[in-house]
Amino acid sequence: MTRRPVAVLLAVVLAAAGCTTTEPGGDEAAGPAPTDRSLVGAQAPAVDPTALPTVEREQGPMRLADGLPPPTNRWFSGLVFGDEPQPVFPLPLAVGLTSTGFAYGLPDVRADGTLIAGGYAPQVQVDLGESVTGVVSRYDAATVDVDLVAEDDQVRGTVHLTRGSPVVRYTARTAHGLGLDRSFDDAGAGLPDGVATAEVDGRTHALVGVDGLDAAGALDGSGSTLELGEGESVAWLAAPDDPAGGSAALPELVRAAGEAVEASTVSYATGTDDVTTTVGYETTSGGPAVAVRFPHQRDAADDATCGLGSYATVLGTVDVCRATELSWRSTAREPVVGLDVSDLGEPARDELVEQVRADADRVLAETRPADTYFGGKALARDAELWTLARDLGMDDVAADLRASLLTDLRLWTDPDGCEERPERCFTWEPTLGTVVGQATAFGSEEGNDHHFHYGYFLYAAGLLAAEDAELAEEVAPVVDLLAADVAAAADVPAGDGAPMPALRTLDVVMGHSWASGPSPFGDGNNQESASEAVAAWHGLALWADARAAAGLPDEGLTSQARWMLSLEAASARAYWTDFDRSDPVADGLQADVTSLVWDGKRERATWFSAEPSAALGIVVLPVTGVSTYLGEDPARVRDNLAEALGTTDLWADDATWDVMFGDQLLMYAGLMGPEEATAALEVARELPEDRIDDGSTRSWLLAWLHGRAD
């Protein structure tokens, strides 16, 4: 959680071979029929945001060209929102705008205690000699253009950033000079003609002409003033580490840096075992760009020349490549309906029936919360309880739970609800182009955490409508809007308001989502609960399957949801729970979990609690049938629990688990194997009621552990 001028369509290529699989411990979830698809520039889903009541909110200044969807929840959101632009982290570089130009630097990445820090520290500053304001004028999945607009409202030049590239490019829109805060000299032997270099903190920085421009010739005698004609471009490249590859490869990298990256594309393919994600770099001549390969992309080399050096980033050591595209694989994940209780023995079944009845009596006597976060969690919790009652043959309890759930779900999904009441309904906010639930929570009115919140609604709707076509059709107008708000495949027009941006929260290059809407932070955007992001795409996949079963238009959503689910689960492990502790970047880190990930730092911390158990629990919850992805390294699960609980003897004392998120951590412990699941089951029976998360029940805790115990 975060406590926090041309319209552009995200080019998405959908190339999917669908399949149906079963996740261990759950029912078979209907998947898309096998098919081959290739859709360039995917169409927006057929939703109408203006069907909701419009409530416009003051969102503050936006440095954004007319017609562009406001880029909330992006790695570069801090450039657009807030009184002053924030530094951003294309990575491995960090870039900041100044009152007269821009600056960039290669962060000095250090680990100490529970923090890996790599903040913005400018090393090369570029000065236009007059006041300018940075305005984002174009963006797509991996590239961003920022126009530098002078006081006469004329664009002097454009800064071009590429996600995952050590290159910053600048194009002059009018003939003018640039002042540099350090001298760049003719590089001399070893590098191509026309290149100038400077030594900055012991590292070579190259100034490269783009599309044949002689960058060295454009410098004055001091090497600190650069004269550019209209339309001319230069680029800066910070040389990589690793003398064995980096310095030898520098000429090759410099030549690639002279290739202008103009846009990016995204494609994916889903299969039985893996999903493949491809990011393509469109350059002026079609040649390769300079890009890095992040830890979650280790196998990305199909159409790339890698091993050209490395950089330290807060995410780990990254390899340098020349590539027209980078493709990488993630383990395929399928949505899971409920928990498998079909093989329980009689004692376990009797225990579970008794607990389900007690939990049902409790939740049916309560009023579910009215805000979109806790209200969504309660719907998801009770939908899970309903699946248990149904699968245990408790028809009376199941009927009562379903009736209660449908009453609330219909309340939330009434398109006109906010014209009649101040809460438990959704509105359209036309300034940001987003759906906002009433009442708000955790800054949701400015775009924060929408995938966390709406993922619970998608999950509940997907479970309840799985075999109820009439219900799916009834709630689809609003539930589809929630899905589009966080995961539309392409921009969604919205009358006179701002369009919904494509893939609002998902950073495709990094393989994970961002939580903050405006990102008003000096360390970039952040995401805390990676597991709730995974849960969001799990909910999206269940809802997509329910829609498909009801005969509603699929529009590729079943494949897209599985891709997003698989991608996010892989990155959640790579950077939150199971990162490589042997990476030199982690030298000095005294934490096995980094629960709060930014572009400029990673830390074992939360927005809401200093308890060690909170740092692990927030990246585990909500435990569902798909959460088995968290247990693929049982030894790491044990280490993470030892850190969170302050002991290596996990079962010495029941009081060990009397901590925040104790129930979620017990379910996490069940992933270590049958013996540990049995031990966890004994503790779970006596766990204090206030240690059961409000998004779960003791019934779900017991059912999860019974399914894994001896």
Side-chain angles (χ1 to χ4, degrees):
M1 282 172 281
T2 306
R3 309 266 212 268
R4 345 242 182 290
V6 185
V8 176
L9 292 181
L10 177 65
V12 181
V13 181
L14 309 181
C19 56
T20 300
T21 64
T22 304
E23 187 82 3
D27 297 337
E28 182 173 270
T35 183
D36 292 322
R37 300 171 55 94
S38 183
L39 305 175
V40 180
Q43 294 182 350
V47 295
D48 179 12
T50 62
L52 297 174
T54 296
V55 176
E56 190 166 0
R57 291 173 168 83
E58 177 57 47
Q59 300 292 351
M62 280 194 283
R63 294 170 293 277
L64 184 69
D66 291 343
L68 280 179
T72 60
N73 308 90
R74 306 281 181 166
W75 63 271
F76 61 90
S77 294
L79 291 176
V80 173
F81 302 101
D83 292 336
E84 298 292 336
Q86 297 292 329
V88 295
F89 297 76
L91 295 182
L93 299 179
V95 177
L97 300 180
T98 68
S99 60
T100 58
F102 65 97
Y104 76 87
L106 191 65
D108 181 18
V109 178
R110 306 273 179 176
D112 183 26
T114 59
L115 173 70
I116 302 176
Y120 170 62
Q123 294 171 321
V124 175
Q125 301 198 41
V126 181
D127 187 357
L128 275 67
E130 61 178 319
S131 294
V132 291
T133 299
V135 175
V136 170
S137 57
R138 191 201 64 84
Y139 68 87
D140 58 27
T143 66
V144 180
D145 291 349
V146 185
D147 286 347
L148 301 184
V149 183
E151 292 181 342
D152 62 2
D153 292 331
Q154 298 301 304
V155 178
R156 295 291 188 261
T158 302
V159 181
H160 309 272
L161 306 177
T162 299
R163 188 70 156 145
S165 175
V167 176
V168 177
R169 181 166 63 92
Y170 179 79
T171 300
R173 301 305 180 191
T174 62
H176 63 267
L178 297 175
L180 308 177
D181 71 332
R182 58 186 67 249
S183 176
F184 281 77
D185 302 315
D186 192 313
L191 291 177
D193 292 339
V195 175
T197 60
E199 293 299 309
V200 183
D201 297 338
R203 184 185 301 271
T204 299
H205 287 235
L207 175 62
V208 183
V210 176
D211 293 337
L213 177 71
D214 183 345
L219 289 164
D220 70 355
S222 70
S224 59
T225 300
L226 181 66
E227 293 293 337
L228 295 178
E230 180 179 351
E232 292 183 335
S233 295
V234 290
W236 288 264
L237 165 72
D241 296 323
D242 184 8
S247 59
L250 189 56
E252 187 176 357
L253 295 176
V254 164
R255 281 188 287 271
E259 205 49 74
V261 177
E262 298 185 318
S264 67
T265 59
V266 174
S267 63
Y268 68 80
T270 60
T272 303
D273 298 321
D274 301 301
V275 303
T276 301
T277 305
T278 301
V279 174
Y281 304 99
E282 296 184 351
T283 61
T284 47
S285 68
V290 184
V292 301
R293 185 170 55 179
F294 290 97
H296 71 285
Q297 301 167 327
R298 283 292 184 225
D299 65 348
D302 291 344
D303 191 27
T305 301
C306 297
L308 302 178
S310 63
Y311 298 92
T313 76
V314 298
L315 298 175
T317 303
V318 300
D319 304 318
V320 187
C321 306
R322 291 173 60 248
T324 55
E325 62 180 34
L326 286 176
S327 295
W328 67 96
R329 293 181 298 276
S330 310
T331 301
R333 309 288 173 182
E334 280 289 314
V336 181
V337 178
L339 298 176
D340 187 358
V341 294
S342 60
D343 292 332
L344 293 182
E346 188 172 344
R349 189 180 187 85
D350 290 347
E351 178 185 31
L352 202 51
V353 165
E354 181 179 354
Q355 187 62 54
V356 168
R357 194 172 298 279
D359 284 335
D361 287 345
R362 177 178 57 82
V363 301
L364 289 171
E366 298 172 351
T367 299
R368 296 183 185 95
D371 69 89
T372 52
Y373 181 66
F374 292 105
K377 285 185 74 169
L379 280 174
R381 173 199 68 196
D382 297 349
E384 289 178 336
L385 192 60
W386 166 72
T387 66
L388 287 177
R390 179 199 62 189
D391 295 345
L392 289 166
M394 303 170 65
D395 295 345
D396 56 336
V397 175
D400 289 344
L401 284 167
R402 185 174 177 86
S404 173
L405 282 160
L406 293 184
T407 296
D408 272 12
L409 183 63
R410 286 178 170 129
L411 197 68
W412 277 102
T413 57
D414 175 5
D416 299 321
C418 285
E419 294 179 349
E420 303 167 0
R421 57 186 177 274
E423 59 188 26
R424 294 184 174 88
C425 57
F426 293 97
T427 63
W428 171 244
E429 204 295 298
T431 305
L432 291 182
T434 188
V435 175
V436 177
Q438 305 289 81
T440 58
F442 305 125
S444 57
E445 69 277 10
E446 58 185 29
N448 290 352
D449 297 356
H450 279 201
H451 56 318
F452 299 162
H453 297 209
Y454 301 166
Y456 288 112
F457 286 92
L458 292 165
Y459 180 67
L463 290 177
L464 292 166
E467 298 176 4
D468 189 337
E470 289 185 5
L471 178 64
E473 189 169 356
E474 177 186 351
V475 302
V478 171
V479 179
D480 282 349
L481 277 171
L482 301 184
D485 187 67
V486 296
D491 295 343
V492 178
D496 295 333
M500 285 182 178
L503 297 180
R504 184 190 300 274
T505 65
L506 183 67
D507 184 337
V508 177
V509 175
M510 302 314 305
H512 65 76
S513 305
W514 293 114
S516 174
S519 188
F521 309 110
D523 284 305
N525 212 321
N526 72 90
Q527 180 161 267
E528 183 178 58
S529 187
S531 51
E532 283 185 296
V534 172
W537 314 138
H538 184 212
L540 184 68
L542 287 171
W543 171 242
D545 288 352
R547 292 180 86 264
L552 298 174
D554 177 72
E555 298 170 330
L557 187 62
T558 49
S559 294
Q560 180 191 334
R562 284 160 167 78
W563 165 60
M564 295 174 74
L565 169 61
S566 304
L567 195 64
E568 189 100 40
S571 284
R573 295 188 63 229
Y575 304 120
W576 277 262
T577 63
D578 290 43
F579 57 86
D580 182 2
R581 292 172 292 189
S582 68
D583 191 307
V585 165
D587 246 358
L589 183 68
Q590 298 169 5
D592 291 319
V593 169
T594 49
S595 47
L596 193 49
V597 172
W598 311 66
D599 264 338
K601 64 182 178 182
R602 284 166 57 204
E603 53 190 328
R604 192 189 71 199
T606 78
W607 288 100
F608 58 92
S609 174
E611 286 194 39
S613 66
L616 179 58
I618 198 60
V619 295
V620 168
L621 67 82
V623 175
T624 71
V626 84
S627 297
T628 49
Y629 77 93
L630 288 165
E632 293 185 355
D633 183 351
R636 186 59 174 268
V637 172
R638 184 178 296 278
D639 289 347
N640 291 349
L641 284 166
E643 177 178 277
L645 300 171
T647 179
T648 57
D649 191 353
L650 301 178
W651 311 111
D653 187 346
D654 286 0
T656 298
W657 301 88
D658 186 6
V659 294
M660 180 179 284
F661 301 136
D663 66 325
Q664 306 297 303
L665 299 186
L666 282 167
M667 288 188 277
Y668 184 57
L671 295 172
M672 288 188 288
E675 184 177 343
E676 286 81 1
T678 300
L681 191 57
E682 292 300 316
V683 177
R685 294 185 175 108
E686 304 300 324
L687 190 70
E689 191 64 37
D690 63 357
R691 295 309 189 182
I692 305 293
D693 183 63
D694 51 13
S696 192
T697 60
R698 195 181 302 272
S699 297
W700 192 256
L701 169 61
L702 296 178
W704 169 272
L705 293 172
H706 271 304
R708 287 162 177 76
D710 287 323

